[in-house]
Amino acid sequence: MKRFFSKIGALFMVAIVIMAFAPADGLVKKSKYKAYFGCTYTDSMQLSVNEFKQLIQKPLCVKDSAGNLIKVESFEIMYAERGLYQDDEGLPIIVTDYSNVVCKGDTIPKKWVQNFNERSYKGDTIFFDRVRMHTPENKLVECRTVKVVLK
């Protein structure tokens, strides 16, 4: 009987590990579709602050392998803002503050555009993550993350 319960316990632990690596949303699958920041840049890039400020006015886009545009349903922004502070002894220290927002549609909210225009600075990093769109078969898919580092 003891052996039976130890096997059940082991199976239970394996099930927990498998569930931990399963997608949070059962409908969402990773795809080969690529998200584009400002309908121009994909994957990971370095942009000047001025170029970034121009591109945040444009929507996020998704393209298939043939280059056809597909409308974005939603996405998340994570803003890693680097700041120079002083420690307890008055010495300079760089600290990164993180903020994020979930966006519906393909456009960056006006509040965030204003925030980026006022606060973005060299060294900041912006992630456009969980970019979701519907395929022609009407399946919800998630595109790869787009990372922008300001130079």
Side-chain angles (χ1 to χ4, degrees):
M1 189 69 138
K2 207 175 196 182
R3 190 179 286 171
F4 174 74
F5 283 117
S6 66
K7 287 183 181 180
I8 294 293
L11 286 174
F12 182 70
M13 293 302 289
V14 169
I16 288 175
V17 170
I18 290 172
M19 288 180 359
F21 291 103
D25 185 352
L27 301 175
V28 178
K29 296 180 180 180
K30 291 288 181 182
S31 74
K32 59 185 174 195
Y33 295 94
K34 286 188 173 186
Y36 287 81
F37 172 60
C39 289
T40 308
Y41 297 102
T42 190
D43 297 326
S44 181
M45 82 258 359
Q46 289 188 353
L47 298 174
S48 70
V49 174
N50 289 333
E51 190 174 8
F52 174 74
K53 287 179 180 180
Q54 290 173 355
L55 289 173
I56 58 174
Q57 308 297 325
K58 297 180 179 182
L60 251 62
C61 298
V62 173
K63 296 181 184 178
D64 62 11
S65 57
N68 299 319
L69 288 176
I70 301 169
K71 184 154 177 63
V72 172
E73 296 289 322
S74 65
F75 63 96
E76 294 179 14
I77 299 173
M78 182 174 35
Y79 181 32
E81 182 180 15
R82 293 177 58 179
L84 184 61
Y85 298 95
Q86 291 182 351
D87 65 8
D88 294 339
E89 298 175 2
L91 298 171
I93 184 171
I94 296 175
V95 177
T96 304
D97 294 320
Y98 294 92
S99 52
N100 67 325
V101 66
V102 176
C103 306
K104 299 293 180 198
D106 62 356
T107 309
I108 298 171
K110 289 182 189 227
K111 178 182 173 186
W112 276 77
V113 171
Q114 180 181 359
N115 186 26
F116 286 134
N117 281 326
E118 293 172 0
R119 297 171 49 180
S120 56
Y121 191 73
K122 178 182 174 182
D124 292 352
T125 305
I126 301 91
F127 297 91
F128 297 94
D129 196 18
R130 300 182 64 98
V131 180
R132 295 180 175 189
M133 46 77 69
H134 279 96
T135 64
E137 298 83 32
N138 205 23
K139 290 185 180 179
L140 186 63
V141 274
E142 197 171 283
C143 302
R144 293 184 234 165
T145 300
V146 177
K147 176 182 171 184
V148 179
V149 178
L150 302 182
K151 61 178 181 174

